[in-house]
Amino acid sequence: MELGISTFGEVHPDGVAGKAVNANKRVQELLEEVKLADEVGLDVFAFGEHHRPDFVVSAPEIFMAAAAAVTKNIKLSSSVTVLSSADPVRTFQNFATVDLLSNGRAEMIAGRGSFIESFPLFGYDLNDYDELFTEKLEMFLQINKQEVISWKGKFRAPIQNQGIYPRPIQESIPVWLGVGGTPASAVRAGKLNLPLIIAILGSAPEQFVPFVDLYRESAAKAGHDVSKLQLAISSQFYMAENAKQAADEFYPSYEALMNRVGKDRGWSPMSRPQFEYLRSDGPLVVGDAQLAIDKIMKQYELFGNTRFVAQLVTGHTPHDKILKAIELYGTKVAPVVRKETAK
């Protein structure tokens, strides 16, 4: 199994037009995080696109390019690229450039986005939410396979027999679909024979077993080799030397994030008992090395996934403790999980 990290680059908003001190500091911290993840042998590091004041990553490809310069082996990905509100041609060019800079380590996770800020920002109608993603994914996949394309769609000016450059050093950019649990998304990924990454954040992992079954069934019906499908599970994550320490250090950041997002979505306020339930019986991977190993292996037993992606929630947690969590993940958890899943 591959083990990795994803981040949205949480930041305390500066609330200024320039001299964004907090954003500047957070960007430097992100580069330290991906450099350490590479040094401790993790497999992938992903940057998630958002257009909010509390997240600093709006352009994942630029972070990936910066990360390419300070790493050697780790795969670099978005998590996700909101393809619905992006131009597939420019997006491909950006990822192909990162692939060249990184000597073939670029990946993309394409998604419709759990937040909607990019739609009005870039002039798209939310009523076209599904159509936009379907069309733009189709166009991106065509560009990824062909140097010269002709294209005509509903939401973008047509292209007639034009080459898209540069081309990546890999045969093509690996494209994953990032989903939250919509059955149609599982069917789409299966039919297209694309790797799937599922974000399991607030529900019991067991509830997603039928979703994964649907993904594999759809791939089989479309004539694809199910044994070659790649599946990733992503859950929120934090580690410390002992489980209680991890919970106590992580909870303030987690509570703040969930209440901030929940205020927009009508969720009830987060409580410590609810948090502890999510740690014990839910998807949260928050604890010491053994707890993390047990939670990741439980997911593997449920899904047979080929990758686990730990979603960092930083918030109020000091940066040195985030670095320690990455170190423990790479040195204490990853070797055991790889050994057990290799059996």
Side-chain angles (χ1 to χ4, degrees):
M1 185 194 290
E2 291 186 317
L3 294 115
I5 287 173
S6 71
T7 181
F8 301 152
E10 277 184 272
V11 65
H12 298 293
D14 288 278
V16 294
K19 294 188 179 296
V21 176
N22 291 340
N24 175 251
K25 179 182 178 184
R26 187 70 190 106
V27 166
Q28 306 311 315
E29 290 175 348
L30 284 170
L31 293 180
E32 290 180 38
E33 290 166 17
V34 68
K35 185 174 185 292
L36 177 60
D38 184 49
E39 290 170 351
V40 298
L42 292 172
D43 299 294
V44 61
F45 199 103
F47 300 89
E49 176 188 347
H50 290 83
H51 302 272
R52 299 164 51 93
D54 48 347
F55 298 126
V56 78
V57 181
S58 65
E61 306 98 312
I62 294 179
F63 279 91
M64 292 165 62
V70 297
T71 59
K72 295 179 180 178
N73 301 306
I74 198 165
K75 296 175 184 178
L76 302 168
S77 179
S78 59
S79 180
V80 301
T81 293
V82 186
L83 200 54
S84 308
S85 56
D87 178 63
V89 173
R90 194 58 171 154
T91 301
F92 176 82
Q93 291 175 323
N94 290 345
F95 276 87
T97 302
V98 172
D99 200 58
L100 297 173
L101 288 168
S102 64
N103 292 310
R105 293 186 280 135
E107 295 187 354
M108 182 175 81
I109 301 175
R112 293 179 293 180
S114 59
F115 295 88
I116 60 172
E117 288 84 1
S118 66
F119 288 84
L121 186 63
F122 297 114
Y124 291 101
D125 191 335
L126 270 173
N127 292 323
D128 299 323
Y129 186 79
D130 292 315
E131 276 189 287
L132 278 165
F133 183 72
T134 300
E135 180 178 300
K136 293 192 175 190
L137 176 63
E138 183 180 330
M139 186 181 190
F140 187 94
L141 293 176
Q142 184 177 334
I143 296 169
N144 205 19
K145 290 179 181 178
Q146 299 172 222
E147 177 185 353
V148 178
I149 72 162
S150 295
W151 172 265
K152 186 176 182 180
K154 178 180 177 182
F155 300 102
R156 191 198 186 281
I159 290 177
Q160 185 61 42
N161 199 39
Q162 283 192 265
I164 312 298
Y165 305 105
R167 307 305 299 184
I169 188 66
Q170 296 183 82
E171 184 176 342
S172 60
I173 301 295
V175 177
W176 295 63
L177 286 192
V179 302
T182 306
S185 298
V187 172
R188 176 190 285 120
K191 285 182 177 179
L192 293 174
N193 198 30
L194 292 177
L196 184 70
I197 177 166
I198 307 170
I200 303 180
L201 304 178
S203 303
E206 290 84 354
Q207 295 181 17
F208 288 82
V209 172
F211 185 84
V212 171
D213 290 342
L214 181 60
Y215 167 55
R216 292 180 171 137
E217 289 165 8
S218 299
K221 288 178 181 178
H224 304 303
D225 186 348
V226 176
S227 68
K228 293 182 179 180
L229 290 176
Q230 296 184 70
L231 173 68
I233 303 297
S234 179
S235 298
Q236 289 159 322
F237 165 95
Y238 182 73
M239 283 185 64
E241 292 287 358
N242 68 74
K244 184 178 185 305
Q245 176 190 352
D248 291 343
E249 290 176 355
F250 179 75
Y251 180 69
S253 295
Y254 182 72
E255 179 191 36
L257 172 66
M258 299 307 288
N259 286 341
R260 190 167 66 247
V261 174
K263 185 178 180 181
D264 296 334
R265 300 186 177 184
W267 299 344
S268 58
M270 174 59 58
S271 66
R272 184 66 186 246
Q274 183 183 2
F275 166 72
E276 293 298 342
Y277 169 77
L278 292 171
R279 283 184 65 230
S280 59
D281 299 317
L284 277 183
V285 182
V286 177
D288 58 11
Q290 190 58 54
L291 184 146
I293 291 166
D294 292 343
K295 294 293 285 282
I296 294 170
M297 288 304 301
K298 180 182 178 182
Q299 291 184 356
Y300 177 73
E301 290 165 7
L302 286 171
F303 305 115
N305 49 306
T306 57
R307 179 181 285 185
F308 172 77
V309 179
Q311 183 181 317
L312 283 179
V313 177
T314 52
H316 303 285
T317 310
H319 183 54
D320 63 328
K321 294 186 180 297
I322 296 295
L323 293 177
K324 183 63 176 179
I326 294 172
E327 178 191 343
L328 291 170
Y329 180 35
T331 59
K332 303 295 184 183
V333 175
V336 176
V337 171
R338 290 183 185 126
K339 182 178 179 181
E340 290 300 313
T341 54
K343 294 179 182 178

